[in-house]
Amino acid sequence: MSFKEGEYLYLQGEDGKRIWFRLQFAMVKVGGMGAIDGKRFEGLDDGDVVEIVGKRFNVFRPTVIDLIGSLDRGAQIITPKDACAILMECDVRSGSRVIEVGAGSGGLTTALLNAVAPTGNVHTVELKEQNAEKALKNVKRTGLDQYWSYQIGDAKEVSVEFDDADVITTDMPDVENALDNLVPHLKNGGRICCYMPNANQLENAFNGLKERGFTDIRAMEIMRRGMDVHPGGVRPSFEMLGHTGYLVFARKRAL
């Protein structure tokens, strides 16, 4: 499908470097290149080649992982390796209604919105206004901000402006203290994911969910290791994306 005005795209040169821009079929400013005629992208599609100032570039629509990797970061984000697990374990899909506690810079928010659109919604409870503003800036780049709402407040006590959620995700160290405030907004059969950096916090979250009658409670940590592929051999990379956070998943049942 040909590119449309307003899409967020990137150019990739032979060196692999990416140059991001918002497409307009008029003069458009592209970082490091100045202003170029956006009409040259009219009729082009994902992966096509365009020549600019004597250099060849491929032009691509970004994937969710591309968008998360290019976020304007402030607070730490939930990385794609953990975000993928959250989407699958919580069965987040088009039409899902999600309460997210803690926006950070909008990494998980971006993944959630991409999954729930165009018939679902994500509502974020964020403690800090500056984090919400940063997340909003990043979400607007994706064009999915119409499916997002947020409020500022402490998840332990704020009146959550969202009901009948299919999923709750939390990124806070003491989520067990917020469960009594959050759980009433989750449907029976709904799923919850608690993300935290430390093992003692994992234990507290696990026990907090168990005490409130949740079922299918599971805790995990996800590691990712690349492979080096070169002529003559293939071996695991010496570098590994190890601990980023612990995940606790559970499902709400009627009591």
Side-chain angles (χ1 to χ4, degrees), residues 67-75 77 105-106 134-135 137-138 141:
L67 289 168
I68 293 174
S70 66
L71 291 177
D72 179 11
R73 297 194 187 185
I77 68 165
S105 296
K134 177 77 71 173
K137 176 182 176 182
N138 285 320
R141 293 190 321 150

Side-chain angles (χ1 to χ4, degrees), residues 220-240:
M220 65 183 70
E221 179 183 23
I222 297 172
M223 310 287 190
R224 189 176 74 187
R225 182 173 67 176
M227 301 293 290
D228 288 338
V229 181
H230 52 82
V234 177
R235 61 168 177 79
S237 173
F238 292 127
E239 296 183 356
M240 175 177 170

